[in-house]
Amino acid sequence: MTQWRESQTKAVSPDITAKSNALPARYFTDPEVFEMEKDKVFGQYWVYAGHANCIEEAGQYFTRTIGDRQLIVLRNDDGSIEAFHNSSPEEGQNRVAETPMTEPGGVDTDELAGSEEVHVDSIGPLVFVNLSEDPMPLAEQAGVMKDRLESLPLGEYEHASRIVSEVECNWKVFSSNYSECDHCQANHQDWIKGISLNESELEVNDYHWVLHYTHAQDVDDELRIHDEHEAQFHYFWPNFTVNMYGTADGYGTYIIDPIDEGRFRLIADYYFEDADLSDEEEEFIRTSRQLQEEDFELVERQWQGLKTGALSQAQLGPNEHTVHRFHQLAQEAYNS
């Protein structure tokens, strides 16, 4: 397991002390903090918009709401992808109808004349947008994640299933819970029976971290999207994950989509070689859904504890490296 160097555990602000490295509870419960995040987090960093395979033909688009701003992500006639604010000169009126991300619609590009354009970039078929005027390059924010994912045939897999859940919890609580699996022994007892958790490895980068683990028994290469006999769970700041499973020929993504300070929407998408799922793939998704529900129960309990005010600032355990990094990034964004 990767360990923090001393320089990585120092205080990053007056709010995060050397002995108690978690964000104070008010950063999870205060509506004003959530309003600030719309600009300083979701308005400044690259945010996942959707999968390019969902808009394969010219004129196809989907919409994506980030903060208070609804965007149109569109496939152009030349095959490129652009994104625009979905607003007309008449305030409050959208240019095109809202379209779910996996059910692309068609649009006449003339309808978008005069719309404000948004920065777009991609990692393989994964499309990202940035709402700031002068963003850092996506390659800088993604780091090694970009090269690693682009070495895999992600674009060859089809969207096969989506599960959307609304959870009574601040989005940062679920995000903090995602990576390290410290809760797995207690919360996912059925799932961990086939996993060698003692051999897991956690890798922490600037805006991206990944949990690697192996299964107690190897699986055949034809059941894997990549060669190594391991699973990889990538977290990309601020609210996106790529899940490389150890027992299925496919991958998944999560969008941890905040609704307000006390609710988020988890958008879980699954990609396989064929959109028509086999019985084994259907069972795999049911197992994934069970894990989600177990996590929802855990984080909703944590959220209730934060709301009581009994705990003003949590102390992190010695292995909570990604939680500490996540809280650091949030604090850096708030102070920017």
Side-chain angles (χ1 to χ4, degrees):
M1 183 69 72
T2 303
Q3 298 296 320
W4 283 94
R5 298 188 302 272
E6 184 178 352
S7 62
Q8 294 173 297
T9 59
K10 65 183 180 181
V12 298
S13 82
D15 283 331
I16 302 181
T17 69
K19 293 182 179 179
S20 181
N21 291 333
L23 285 168
R26 65 183 180 87
Y27 284 108
F28 299 87
T29 61
D30 190 338
E32 292 185 1
V33 171
F34 177 68
E35 291 301 315
M36 175 177 61
E37 288 174 340
K38 292 178 183 179
D39 176 47
K40 293 200 170 188
V41 175
F42 298 101
Q44 298 297 321
Y45 292 93
W46 288 95
V47 177
Y48 178 67
H51 202 288
N53 287 4
C54 296
I55 48 172
E56 293 182 326
E57 303 297 329
Q60 287 188 314
Y61 75 95
F62 56 78
T63 59
R64 175 87 161 88
T65 300
I66 298 175
D68 290 330
R69 288 163 281 193
Q70 191 186 90
L71 308 178
I72 307 163
V73 182
L74 168 75
R75 176 78 69 174
N76 284 322
D77 292 338
D78 63 3
S80 63
I81 295 176
E82 290 186 293
F84 302 88
H85 288 280
N86 188 17
S87 58
S88 69
E90 299 178 25
E91 188 174 353
Q93 181 177 343
N94 289 334
R95 289 188 178 275
V96 301
E98 185 173 356
T99 303
M101 287 169 53
T102 54
E103 298 177 13
V107 63
D108 183 347
T109 54
D110 290 340
E111 296 178 38
L112 301 177
S115 294
E116 183 182 354
E117 197 165 350
V118 174
H119 296 283
V120 176
D121 204 343
S122 62
I123 298 174
L126 308 175
V127 181
F128 294 80
V129 295
N130 193 298
L131 301 177
S132 67
E133 293 183 2
D134 185 24
M136 76 170 78
L138 175 59
E140 179 180 341
Q141 187 177 324
V144 295
M145 175 181 170
K146 180 175 172 64
D147 290 339
R148 287 176 178 174
L149 295 185
E150 288 185 341
S151 71
L152 301 174
L154 302 185
E156 298 177 13
Y157 288 69
E158 297 184 29
H159 185 264
S161 182
R162 162 171 285 191
I163 301 173
V164 180
S165 309
E166 184 173 314
V167 186
E168 297 291 326
C169 175
N170 183 270
W171 70 278
K172 296 189 295 297
V173 177
F174 185 87
S175 297
S176 298
N177 178 73
Y178 172 81
S179 294
E180 298 188 36
C181 217
D182 286 347
H183 64 285
C184 290
Q185 296 280 8
N187 222 49
H188 304 312
Q189 295 182 18
D190 291 337
W191 180 62
I192 65 168
K193 290 177 182 177
I195 295 173
S196 303
L197 281 180
N198 290 338
E199 299 176 11
S200 65
E201 179 184 353
L202 182 65
E203 175 188 345
V204 184
N205 301 294
D206 289 343
Y207 300 98
H208 157 248
W209 39 93
V210 56
L211 176 68
H212 307 257
Y213 68 79
T214 58
H215 286 264
Q217 296 180 349
D218 273 348
V219 295
D220 293 335
D221 280 341
E222 59 265 25
L223 295 178
R224 304 304 311 273
I225 192 172
H226 52 85
D227 293 336
E228 294 95 357
H229 292 287
E230 67 170 2
Q232 300 176 7
F233 288 83
H234 297 258
Y235 194 100
F236 182 58
W237 165 265
N239 66 327
F240 178 59
T241 82
V242 181
N243 312 314
M244 299 294 178
Y245 306 112
T247 55
D249 182 23
Y251 63 98
T253 62
Y254 285 173
I255 303 174
I256 305 163
D257 197 26
I259 300 171
D260 54 34
E261 76 281 357
R263 295 176 300 158
F264 75 90
R265 185 181 297 106
L266 185 72
I267 304 171
D269 288 308
Y270 300 88
Y271 298 86
F272 293 95
E273 284 189 300
D274 194 324
D276 295 325
L277 294 170
S278 66
D279 291 343
E280 291 80 6
E281 289 165 344
E282 291 275 12
E283 178 59 29
F284 177 85
I285 292 174
R286 282 192 289 270
T287 300
S288 177
R289 177 58 180 172
Q290 177 184 334
L291 296 175
Q292 292 168 23
E293 291 177 343
E294 290 168 354
D295 279 332
F296 295 160
E297 181 179 359
L298 174 64
V299 298
E300 285 181 337
R301 290 201 304 267
Q302 289 178 296
W303 171 241
Q304 290 300 322
L306 287 168
K307 288 198 299 182
T308 65
L311 182 65
S312 62
Q313 186 174 17
Q315 290 187 344
L316 300 180
N319 290 327
E320 292 183 288
H321 313 299
T322 66
V323 181
H324 184 258
R325 182 60 188 149
F326 182 90
H327 288 207
Q328 282 182 313
L329 287 171
Q331 190 71 67
E332 289 169 10
Y334 301 156
N335 291 344
S336 65

